[in-house]
């Protein structure tokens, strides 16, 4: 059930915005040491967007693979050089979906070449009101306690990840992202600021929906540490907490996709037809 506006909701929203917008400081000793992505060397690189990469190439549990050259994930595109803008065009990208909040977009607008459409899917959007699929205080306390138990290098992130599942603004944003990918005839790039948290959950949702095994989903998520050159840019425990919230609130990923995100069977079928190959 949706909860009313309470001090817990407002606190959770503030923590969500603060934790997702500002990347954590580099710790002296990372909590976990991730493995590098096997696709890192083959992925197209942008000199002015270090965390830009193709989401394709991964095998699914049923013997298919995710098509390359259809969906890309990235960090901020605000500082793209002329050469990198041309690279986006050469890759057939026709749509840029921006997951950042209004201040981020105002301070550092995307720098795009003509021919690439721009769409906002603000994960922190409050303009439609504040509501949650799970009591906000419970999610806040769970994230805080799990951050302590796992030795998280950033408790704010441990708190924020469950809210990306619970918060109605985030659910609306991820629905818009996935429906946009399904409808776009060209390639799509989506991003936030560092390309690791809001973008990381979006990529995890998409890959899981396509049938990519969870171990591979985590591998793609943790590859942000390699691309950003920071061994604690993301931690697997943060993604654990988001998936735990999916199971606890919705009873499973399929219910989250249908009831939480509100995706139709037609959109899911379109995503799979667009992105999966034999």
């Amino acid at each position: 059930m949706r909860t009313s506006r309470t001090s817990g909701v407002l606190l959770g929203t503030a923590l969500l915005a603060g934790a997702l917008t500002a990347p954590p400081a580099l710790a002296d000793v990372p909590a976990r040491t991730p493995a590098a992505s096997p696709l890192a060397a083959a992925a197209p690189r942008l000199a002015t967007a270090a965390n830009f990469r193709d989401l394709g190439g991964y095998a699914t549990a049923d013997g298919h693979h995710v098509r390359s050259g259809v969906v890309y994930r990235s960090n901020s595109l605000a500082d793209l050089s002329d050469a990198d803008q041309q690279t986006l065009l050469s890759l057939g990208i026709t749509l840029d979906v921006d997951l950042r909040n209004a201040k981020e977009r105002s301070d550092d607008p995307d720098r795009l070449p003509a021919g690439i459409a721009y769409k906002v899917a603000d994960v922190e959007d409050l303009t439609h009101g504040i509501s949650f699929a799970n009591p906000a205080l419970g999610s806040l306390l769970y994230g805080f306690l799990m951050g302590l138990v796992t030795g998280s290098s950033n408790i704010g992130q441990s708190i924020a990840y469950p809210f990306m599942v619970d918060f109605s603004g985030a659910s609306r944003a991820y629905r818009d992202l996935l429906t946009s990918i399904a409808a776009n005839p060209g390639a799509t790039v989506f991003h936030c600021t560092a390309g690791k948290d809001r973008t990381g959950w979006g990529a995890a949702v998409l890959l899981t929906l396509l049938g990519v095994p969870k171990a591979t989903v985590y591998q793609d998520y943790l590859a942000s540490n390699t691309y950003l050159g920071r061994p604690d840019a993301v931690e697997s425990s943060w993604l654990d907490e988001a998936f735990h919230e999916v199971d606890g609130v919705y009873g499973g990923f399929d219910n989250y996709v249908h009831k939480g995100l509100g995706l139709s069977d037609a959109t899911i079928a379109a995503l799979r037809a667009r992105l999966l190959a034999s």
Side-chain angles (χ1 to χ4, degrees):
M1 293 178 63
R2 301 290 183 180
T3 61
S4 60
R5 298 186 184 188
T6 65
S7 58
V9 168
L10 295 175
L11 177 57
T13 302
L15 286 165
L16 172 70
L20 296 181
T21 300
L26 185 63
D28 292 334
V29 180
R32 296 171 186 253
T33 302
S37 168
L39 298 182
R45 304 306 306 273
L46 298 181
T48 51
N51 209 4
F52 177 87
R53 44 198 163 106
D54 195 333
L55 266 184
Y58 293 122
T60 66
D62 63 357
H64 293 82
H65 70 271
V66 181
R67 286 192 176 96
S68 297
V70 180
V71 179
Y72 297 87
R73 54 176 292 178
S74 185
N75 56 320
S76 174
L77 303 179
D79 299 315
L80 286 184
S81 65
D82 291 344
D84 284 345
Q85 290 185 57
Q86 289 306 307
T87 297
L88 295 186
L89 291 175
S90 72
L91 293 171
I93 293 173
T94 59
L95 177 63
D96 164 29
V97 181
D98 191 342
L99 305 179
R100 298 177 301 165
N101 64 39
K103 186 176 189 307
E104 292 169 294
R105 299 193 307 270
S106 175
D107 289 347
D108 297 293
D110 283 0
R111 189 168 185 262
L112 299 171
I116 297 182
Y118 176 75
K119 179 178 179 61
V120 172
D122 185 347
V123 173
E124 300 171 16
D125 180 37
L126 304 178
T127 60
H128 295 275
I130 303 172
S131 59
F132 289 82
N134 196 37
L137 187 58
S139 295
L140 187 155
L141 291 174
Y142 168 77
F144 178 75
L145 291 173
M146 288 306 297
L148 294 178
V149 169
T150 61
S152 172
S153 66
N154 189 294
I155 295 294
Q157 296 287 29
S158 298
I159 292 170
Y161 271 67
F163 282 108
M164 285 196 287
V165 175
D166 293 338
F167 177 48
S168 60
S171 295
R172 187 179 301 106
Y174 289 120
R175 178 177 66 244
D176 288 349
L177 168 65
L178 294 170
T179 54
S180 296
I181 291 171
N184 183 31
T188 301
V189 59
F190 67 98
H191 74 93
C192 53
T193 294
K196 63 187 188 69
D197 300 309
R198 288 165 289 186
T199 298
W201 179 239
V205 171
L206 177 58
L207 291 176
T208 302
L209 186 152
L210 295 174
V212 174
K214 185 165 283 190
T216 306
V217 172
Y218 273 74
Q219 186 178 50
D220 178 80
Y221 171 76
L222 290 169
S224 283
N225 292 335
T226 301
Y227 280 83
L228 294 172
R230 295 168 47 198
D232 69 342
V234 292
E235 297 178 11
S236 59
S237 64
W238 300 342
L239 195 57
D240 289 342
E241 287 155 28
F243 276 118
H244 178 275
E245 199 75 359
V246 165
D247 291 338
V249 175
Y250 293 101
F253 186 79
D254 187 65
N255 280 341
Y256 167 66
V257 167
H258 284 92
K259 297 178 181 179
L261 301 184
L263 290 185
S264 67
D265 288 336
T267 297
I268 294 170
L271 282 168
R272 289 174 175 161
R274 179 103 172 84
L275 283 160
L276 293 179
S278 300

